[in-house]
């Protein structure tokens, strides 16, 4: 199972990724979580990423790509993985293609979690109260949504041309969305069966 989870900030990618990863016994690779861990540890990479993250901007591709390449090359990714938050730019898609080619692997599905902007903003403001993420202020949230629309949403059309996209409604309760996601993954398994 090699899965890309895509969706705007606040769409619940991280929560769903954790659940699916457990069910399928593969690791989740969340670039946002890895960056936050490096910021918290005060590593040089964390220091260079922090200003971008606090502003709601994407960390430059060369930094993100190298970090993902390193993570995907570890043995626990051999049987599959769930990417949460990568790729987010067209250039990152190209890099991921090359990482997969190196491993003679391919993506099974790109699942997109959809939700409308007002709901996303409300969720993230609530999360800010619970978790205190530095980038969950209203201004930064709006910036992140705008950058997603501009730089990441176009990736959906690109992956659709490869026949990989499953779009699901991310607005329901967590369990309900997990159910939709499970069914979408079942559909992919049968599509692949037909294709061979
Ligand atoms: P969200 O999806 O809610 O915006 P994430 O936790 O996935 O939050 O990411 C937090 C921040 O980490 C992003 O705003 C960005 O600065 C950085 N980041 C995460 N993934 C990437 C990526 N693939 N490319 C560039 N920056 C990234």
């Amino acid at each position: 199972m090699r899965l890309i989870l895509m969706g705007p900030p606040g769409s619940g990618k991280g929560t769903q990724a954790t659940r699916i990863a457990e069910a399928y016994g593969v690791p989740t690779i969340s670039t946002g979580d890895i960056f936050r861990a490096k910021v918290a540890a005060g590593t040089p990479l964390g220091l260079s990423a922090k200003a971008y993250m606090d502003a709601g901007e994407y960390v430059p591709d060369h930094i993100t790509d190298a970090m993902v390449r390193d993570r995907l090359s570890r043995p626990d990714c051999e049987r599959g993985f769930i990417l949460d938050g990568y790729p987010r730019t067209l250039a990152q898609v190209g890099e991921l293609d090359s990482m997969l080619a190196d491993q003679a692997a391919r993506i099974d599905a790109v699942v997109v979690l959809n939700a409308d902007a007002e709901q996303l903003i409300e969720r993230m403001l609530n999360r800010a109260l619970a978790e205190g993420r530095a980038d969950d202020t209203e201004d930064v949230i709006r910036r992140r949504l705008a950058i997603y629309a501009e730089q990441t949403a176009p990736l959906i059309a690109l992956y659709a041309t490869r026949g990989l996209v499953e779009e699901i409604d991310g607005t329901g309760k967590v369990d309900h969305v997990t159910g939709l996601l499970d069914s979408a993954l079942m559909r992919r398994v049968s599509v692949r069966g037909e294709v061979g």
Side-chain angles (χ1 to χ4, degrees):
M1 162 68 61
R2 292 183 184 83
L3 174 68
I4 296 174
L5 261 188
M6 213 177 268
S11 59
K13 294 184 299 288
T15 306
Q16 297 300 333
T18 306
R19 290 177 155 219
I20 295 295
E22 226 164 81
Y24 285 83
V26 293
T28 297
I29 297 157
S30 159
T31 43
D33 284 350
I34 302 175
F35 280 132
R36 277 185 289 277
K38 292 190 186 291
V39 169
T43 68
L45 193 154
L47 290 178
S48 38
K50 186 177 187 313
Y52 297 101
M53 296 173 73
D54 287 351
E57 308 283 336
Y58 286 168
V59 176
D61 284 338
H62 68 277
I63 298 177
T64 311
D65 292 332
M67 191 175 84
V68 173
R69 186 177 283 278
D70 172 67
R71 182 65 190 86
L72 287 186
S73 69
R74 294 200 212 145
D76 65 333
C77 290
E78 271 166 26
R79 287 182 44 250
F81 48 77
I82 298 174
L83 284 171
D84 159 19
Y86 187 90
R88 289 195 205 214
T89 64
L90 284 169
Q92 290 180 10
V93 172
E95 279 300 311
L96 176 61
D97 286 344
S98 108
M99 295 174 213
L100 292 168
D102 289 349
Q103 303 186 1
R106 62 174 182 171
I107 295 295
D108 298 297
V110 177
V111 178
V112 181
L113 290 180
N114 288 315
D116 72 74
E118 288 315 309
Q119 184 179 24
L120 295 168
I121 293 169
E122 194 189 312
R123 278 188 187 174
M124 284 185 274
L125 290 175
N126 285 334
R127 179 170 72 188
L129 297 177
E131 294 175 17
R133 257 176 67 164
D135 58 350
D136 278 345
T137 63
E138 185 153 356
D139 281 355
V140 177
I141 288 169
R142 289 189 187 278
R143 182 82 192 124
R144 283 155 61 207
L145 288 170
I147 293 182
Y148 176 85
E150 178 191 302
Q151 299 207 39
T152 305
L155 272 46
I156 299 168
L158 185 147
Y159 279 117
T161 65
R162 302 184 186 180
L164 290 175
V165 173
E166 294 281 346
E167 298 211 43
I168 64 177
D169 179 2
T171 58
K173 294 227 158 66
V174 174
D175 283 342
H176 179 71
V177 177
T178 306
L180 296 176
L181 188 45
D182 257 333
S183 321
L185 295 177
M186 305 281 203
R187 281 199 295 281
R188 296 315 306 181
V189 171
S190 64
V191 169
R192 278 198 66 181
E194 285 157 26
V195 175

